[in-house]
Amino acid sequence: MDTRKRPSLAGFRTQVERIERRLFLKQGLSLGAMSLLTGCTLKDDDAVDRALWAMSRWNDRVQAALFNPDKLAPTYSEAELTTPFPFNAYYEEALAPVVDGASYRLALSGRIADKRAWTLAELRALPQATQITRQVCVEGWSAVGKWGGVPFRTFLERVGADLTAKYVGFHCADKYWTSIDMPSALHPQTLLALDFPGRPGETKYGYPIKIRIPTKLGFKNPKFVTEIFVTNDNPGGYWEKLGYNWFSGS
Ligand SMILES: Nc1nc2c(c(=O)[nH]1)N[C@H]1C(S)=C(S)[C@@H](COP(=O)(O)O)O[C@H]1N2
Ligand SMILES: [Mo]
């Protein structure tokens, strides 16, 4: 596997430096001032780390509180589609998994009443919707794409998911994983996408399933999804574990 895009410890340090610069520019705060505010002595990397994680958790709570479950992300026209649509993953394009649609089964686990696995044909038989929305990646690009599939709320209701649970998590064919808050999962534009940008037959944008969430940053939109689970324990995610903010609304 290509390791070039895997973040290193040095990379994480750089990120800490970036965060400190941002704190300083935006709030006139330094790590020193932050230690006064947090009451922690930020004298070593571990303490800085803990304080930054605490701020990120605080940030999650603020974003969750501010999230409006009825506010729609902007939609676009066919003429505004970005072509070709950019590909992204934590590895290079040639390594994207190719899932066999005929034998594919979507697995369900956790707080879901009917855990029966789903074929693609069964998912196609559910009500379908399409959307043209903008995907925003933390790496500094965004693109307008068209996705089609089952409104995720419809799917969660259909399988008897516990809609009062806190989190929905996703496992993927490439070992990626991520998770979202239940209000975002139930948002009217969140889609269990079966149709993707790109040419017919092109699989790299997430075939057979991508959870498309236009109210969240690109990395919270899992591709090649193989399993969906509902839980009250925050499952984190691939990038979240490496320091990206968990809620990451866009
Ligand atoms: N399974 C899986 N899903 C993933 C990723 C990944 O590496 N693996 N990368 C994420 C990131 S960072 C982005 S920006 C989008 C990119 O989706 P695209 O290739 O359709 O543009 O997928 C997200 N979902
Ligand atoms: Mo991304």
Side-chain angles (χ1 to χ4, degrees):
M1 182 185 295
D2 178 39
T3 52
R4 279 173 302 166
K5 291 183 92 178
R6 235 184 257 156
S8 59
L9 187 57
F12 190 73
R13 290 268 159 70
T14 326
Q15 196 181 334
V16 169
E17 284 157 20
R18 265 205 312 271
I19 292 171
E20 174 159 43
R21 204 171 316 132
R22 212 172 59 198
L23 273 175
F24 183 72
L25 291 174
K26 281 207 170 161
Q27 277 116 356
L29 278 175
S30 63
L31 283 178
M34 200 170 98
S35 18
L36 284 175
L37 283 173
T38 57
C40 309
T41 330
L42 300 172
K43 60 183 184 319
D44 53 41
D45 282 3
D46 273 6
V48 169
D49 224 64
R50 279 195 304 277
L52 287 172
W53 277 107
M55 289 177 73
S56 194
R57 293 290 79 84
W58 165 251
N59 192 345
D60 281 341
R61 287 197 294 277
V62 172
Q63 288 186 72
L66 292 177
F67 180 72
N68 178 344
D70 304 316
K71 187 171 179 246
L72 298 181
T75 55
Y76 300 84
S77 69
E78 297 267 350
E80 291 168 292
L81 288 171
T82 306
T83 41
F85 195 79
F87 164 90
N88 200 25
Y90 65 92
Y91 42 77
E92 64 185 67
E93 199 168 314
L95 297 171
V98 179
V99 175
D100 172 37
S103 60
Y104 175 84
R105 298 290 180 277
L106 172 64
L108 301 179
S109 63
R111 305 179 67 87
I112 294 177
D114 183 358
K115 296 191 179 68
R116 184 177 55 90
W118 288 69
T119 65
L120 290 177
E122 288 167 337
L123 291 167
R124 289 274 181 199
L126 291 176
Q128 307 284 308
T130 59
Q131 61 169 253
I132 300 179
T133 52
R134 183 180 293 279
Q135 174 172 270
V136 181
C137 175
V138 280
E139 289 177 12
W141 55 269
S142 80
V144 174
K146 183 176 181 177
W147 290 269
V150 186
F152 197 41
R153 175 191 273 272
T154 303
F155 180 74
L156 290 174
E157 285 169 350
R158 177 65 181 263
V159 298
D162 175 3
L163 304 183
T164 69
K166 288 188 180 154
Y167 308 104
V168 183
F170 309 94
H171 288 299
C172 307
D174 58 359
K175 309 302 172 211
Y176 193 78
W177 86 103
T178 188
S179 55
I180 57 172
D181 52 296
M182 186 62 79
S184 295
L186 298 175
H187 185 275
Q189 286 171 308
T190 300
L191 204 61
L192 188 160
L194 300 161
D195 296 313
F196 313 89
R199 289 174 274 110
E202 213 171 4
T203 57
K204 64 186 181 187
Y205 299 113
Y207 180 85
I209 287 176
K210 167 167 172 150
I211 307 298
R212 174 66 193 134
I213 314 163
T215 55
K216 288 215 185 275
L217 292 175
F219 80 92
K220 303 292 292 182
N221 289 231
K223 307 194 287 184
F224 323 112
V225 172
T226 53
E227 181 175 346
I228 296 175
F229 59 103
V230 174
T231 172
N232 281 317
D233 303 312
N234 190 331
Y238 179 92
W239 287 116
E240 293 85 338
K241 198 176 164 179
L242 294 164
Y244 283 6
N245 172 256
W246 180 79
F247 194 91
S248 283
S250 72

